[in-house]
Amino acid sequence: MPEWHAMESAQVTGQVNVDPLQGLDEAEAAARLKKHGPNQPSFQPGPGLFARFLSQLTQPLILVLIAAGAVTLFLREWVDASVIFGVVLVNALVGFIQEGKAEAALAALARAVASEATVLRSGTRRKLDAVELVPGDVVVLSAGDKVPADLRLFAGKELRTAEAALTGESLPVDKHPKPLAVDTSLADRRNMAYTGTLVVGGQGTGIVVATGDATEAGRISGLIAQAPDLTTPLTRKLGEFTQYLLAAILVLAALTFAVGVWRGESAFDMFMAAVALAVGAIPEGLPAAMTVTLAIGVARMAKRRAIIRKLPAVETLGGTTVICSDKTGTLTENAMTVREIWTGGEAFTATGNGYGPAGRIELAGRPAAVAGALRETLLAGLLCNDARLVHQGEQWTVAGDPTEGALLAAARKGELDGATLNAIFPRLDELPFDSARQFMATLHEIEGVRAIYVKGAVEKLLPTCVATLDRQGHEGALDQDAVHAAVLRMAEGGLRVLAVARAELTREQSLEHARIDNGLIFLGLVGMIDPPRPRAIAAVRTCHAAGIRVKMITGDHPGTAIAIARQLGIVKDGGSALTGRDLARLNDEDLRKTAAEVDVFARVEPEQKLRLVKALQANGEVVAMTGDGVNDAPALKQADIGIAMGLGGTEVAKEAAAMVLTDDNFATIEAAVEEGRGIYDNLVKFIVWTIPTNGGEGLVILAAVFAGVTLPITPLQILWINMTTAVLLGTMLAFEPAEDGIMQRAPRAPAAPILDWALIQRCLLVSVLLLAGSFGLFELSIYRGQTLAEARTIAANVFVMVETVYLFNCRSLTRPFWAMAPFSNPWVWVGSAAMLALQIMFTYVPVFNRVFQTAPIGVAEWLSIVAIAALCAVIVEAEKRWRLKVAAVT
């Protein structure tokens, strides 16, 4: 593609073969439209509704459930099969609804482009649908227009565009037609206007050099399409866990069948025993429990202003090791704020953030008297101003330039009322801001004196000043060295510095450039910045304490980025930022090293954000990426969890993300990480609770086959135990609040399995305890002459009672259950009571006796069952205590 920004205007017109004064004729335009196609990003629709629904059924744990349902169908247990397939359906529907198509980002991108454009065709201006534009068209831009295609500008007057959604630049950009260096970055190409950006001031004319997929926005569309739909850490780990589980089930079922046949048992009986083992070993409740736990997490996060679009994203947040955050509006207020006013030789500070009236002007930490030079400086910023502040609900916003909005807010903090002063001192004339002269001037009648107020670049205004005002407002000698020192100090703090000045005119004089080029009275300097959110500073500190690195990736200037990063605590004093130009020189291997070491990246382009995310993932990091602009969408989709801004974010970014913040606040991300960690803990607790049940049931079947005795529990009883306990007991762990200190521990290693060796050992321990308790009481009952139905009832109740007390053990995997607040999760008590009520029905209600082949048992048997359950609880707590002692020693 030609480097349009590096060409002279004449070269551009020659390259696209157009007369800039006439434009294309209709025949040529039609031919080019046929060649290049319509001016809109191509959009490949995603899979249809039915295909999306079927894709939900291919998840590993859903396949396990389907296998369990097939087994129950084979056993002709229609009720149980209906329940299992009902769970499958619910799981699939929840996933289908929660997971919107990531490809919808492309449709949103198509909606984001301009719909109409003013074009010069055959020497005549006319309005056209933007999709009809072709390379070579001459487009006329005015304030309020959305740029309809990528344009190389060749004429303009005061043209300024807002490009934050594309480049991340927080302030409007001045445009000009002059050629630039070939290696000029996207954000600095002042002679280009890009598709979808907004004209905020002035007029301009440009030649269309790219349409549709060839535009910068179209290129981003391609990047979104190329980014894969990544599986979450939880999905990957559960997939691995399920594979191991299925392999183990098949091996044990085959071993059961083979051993039984070898011992002389009938093949049919051994087949049924193998089926019973498979039914027992499949954790039918795990997918349902996972869905419930994640859904509860969605509800909790919504209360904390984080909306989850993709269900597994809830857990992914808990495993995040790196958060890559945009600066403007996420880490900062997205509202320019005056921080310092240097006037009369003194540095005043302005408190409060944003455009609201909260705050005051201070000197040395105390309220300052607004008089003399300070009052004149604030008055100059208020009168030489075209913006206005708007109060919407609880928010203050600016209509106009953010810099001018900051000056109005500062004047209000100095108790200067804009409406009143503009009425008393009306504007008589003005010189609007011009990128060449770099200042704005207005003329006012003030107490009988015609006064000019000027604001603009320090390097332009300071040489024209001949005197200054002291603190009391009296004219005195101007110390330019002191002014330059103040400018340098403020700029090093990341402040954007403006100078303000004034002059007086006689009745005969008019507002002319010559009068402003000399003889001004210097009033002061105003330093402003888009300040960091106070909650974001605390949130970054919490993330660091939790072992999570925070990286700033922005399209803004390096100086501003590093200043904000220092205030936030992302980098320490002396830290530096890497620019997009620096990144472009790095190969993939060097980028991986750089991504691990550097925490601030500035002037970064869309592909570079994507490369950074990929580099961090290649280093084994779990990456959360925040963004709000079109330029952020590819990286949002590539990240393990993309986080879009709900208030200021584009639809493209929201569609590409897995989570949307309703308050655009970085602190909400930290809160969501905390929720995510708690949710992952609860999922692990459920797995640690449910696996011993399946393991114990499998061991009981194996032990019976190896010993050549009757099965202590039937397949139908196993299904009853698994489904009822999973729903009434296991899912109650989903309501567990996060444990204390959850954000003081390092994030779990991305490659770590769901269960570490210590938890696997605990699962084996409880499985063996279930085997010993149920098989032992079953054999003891048979030995005492009780019926087979009574013995099996006792064995089934051992499983349920042990699971009930073990549920309380699992409320914390490291702390004793009595250290937990007893009613911090009342649902475990509700679920336990409901389970015991069902188990009484299972034991004593005749219809249950007939269906499940159970029989009533006496008090002595219940005492034995409760004693075994209590013993299991004591052994598990002893094992916890032993591991804590071992960990303390090592």
Side-chain angles (χ1 to χ4, degrees), residues 819-859:
M820 307 293 290
F823 297 104
S824 60
N825 180 9
W827 291 104
V828 294
W829 296 98
V830 173
S832 298
M835 188 67 242
L836 292 176
L838 269 185
Q839 211 53 28
I840 289 172
M841 295 171 63
F842 174 85
T843 305
Y844 295 107
V845 174
V847 66
F848 281 81
N849 296 152
R850 287 194 300 272
V851 171
F852 293 102
Q853 300 175 13
T854 58
I857 56 176
V859 175

Side-chain angles (χ1 to χ4, degrees), residues 155-186:
K157 183 179 180 181
E158 317 297 339
L159 184 64
R160 305 171 78 205
T161 62
E163 298 182 343
L166 181 68
T167 66
E169 172 63 63
S170 55
L171 293 172
V173 178
D174 297 319
K175 295 294 183 178
H176 62 73
K178 299 175 185 177
L180 300 168
V182 173
D183 63 349
T184 303
S185 66
L186 181 70

Side-chain angles (χ1 to χ4, degrees), residues 264-534:
E265 304 289 345
S266 73
F268 177 80
D269 288 343
M270 288 305 96
F271 178 74
M272 294 308 295
V275 167
L277 185 143
V279 170
I282 292 174
E284 293 92 344
L286 182 54
M290 186 178 82
T291 300
V292 169
T293 303
L294 294 178
I296 290 169
V298 168
R300 286 180 176 175
M301 287 186 179
K303 292 178 181 177
R304 302 184 79 163
R305 301 184 181 275
I307 304 300
I308 301 297
R309 295 184 62 249
K310 300 180 181 180
L311 207 55
V314 178
E315 175 276 332
T316 308
L317 269 170
T320 299
T321 59
V322 174
I323 299 175
C324 297
S325 179
D326 188 23
K327 176 183 72 69
T328 306
T330 307
L331 292 167
T332 65
E333 296 278 6
N334 196 22
M336 293 298 289
T337 303
V338 171
R339 275 284 175 258
E340 182 174 333
I341 304 166
W342 190 87
T343 182
E346 295 179 305
F348 297 84
T349 57
T351 63
N353 287 344
Y355 303 117
R360 64 186 185 183
I361 309 297
E362 296 181 347
L363 179 63
R366 296 183 178 181
V370 181
L374 175 60
R375 184 181 186 279
E376 277 295 297
T377 300
L378 293 173
L379 183 62
L382 187 152
L383 295 178
C384 187
N385 200 308
D386 288 329
R388 61 187 177 88
L389 299 179
V390 181
H391 194 199
Q392 296 177 326
E394 297 181 359
Q395 283 193 321
W396 284 87
T397 58
V398 61
D401 191 290
T403 299
E404 294 190 326
L407 293 172
L408 292 179
R412 182 175 292 184
K413 292 171 186 176
E415 299 183 354
L416 301 184
D417 183 72
T420 301
L421 291 172
N422 275 298
I424 297 174
F425 309 137
R427 183 181 299 187
L428 305 178
D429 198 1
E430 68 178 278
L431 283 176
F433 181 87
D434 181 279
S435 57
R437 56 176 175 258
Q438 295 186 32
F439 66 77
M440 173 184 177
T442 55
L443 176 64
H444 302 266
E445 182 85 24
I446 298 180
E447 298 175 353
V449 176
R450 288 161 61 85
I452 302 172
Y453 284 108
V454 190
K455 75 172 189 296
V458 178
E459 60 271 21
K460 288 289 184 180
L461 290 189
L462 191 58
T464 68
C465 294
V466 296
T468 188
L469 295 185
D470 63 16
R471 184 177 181 182
Q472 286 73 35
H474 303 133
E475 284 191 28
L478 174 62
D479 184 350
Q480 293 208 7
D481 290 338
V483 176
H484 284 302
V487 170
L488 181 62
R489 177 180 53 78
M490 293 164 76
E492 287 176 346
L495 298 181
R496 183 188 183 198
V497 184
L498 288 180
V500 291
R502 64 168 290 176
E504 294 182 3
L505 296 181
T506 65
R507 293 287 175 185
E508 294 75 25
Q509 291 176 310
S510 62
L511 185 62
E512 296 177 350
H513 295 202
R515 183 72 186 97
I516 297 172
D517 287 345
N518 59 76
L520 293 179
I521 306 299
F522 179 79
L523 298 179
L525 303 171
V526 181
M528 61 188 71
I529 197 170
D530 179 12
R533 294 175 182 260

Side-chain angles (χ1 to χ4, degrees), residues 3 24 117 128 161 221 239 309 426 444 506 619 661 669 674 686 715 759 849 859:
E3 302 290 353
L24 300 173
L128 279 184
T161 62
S221 168
R309 295 184 62 249
H444 302 266
T506 65
N619 288 338
L661 305 183
I669 301 173
E674 183 178 350
F686 177 85
L759 292 179
N849 296 152
V859 175

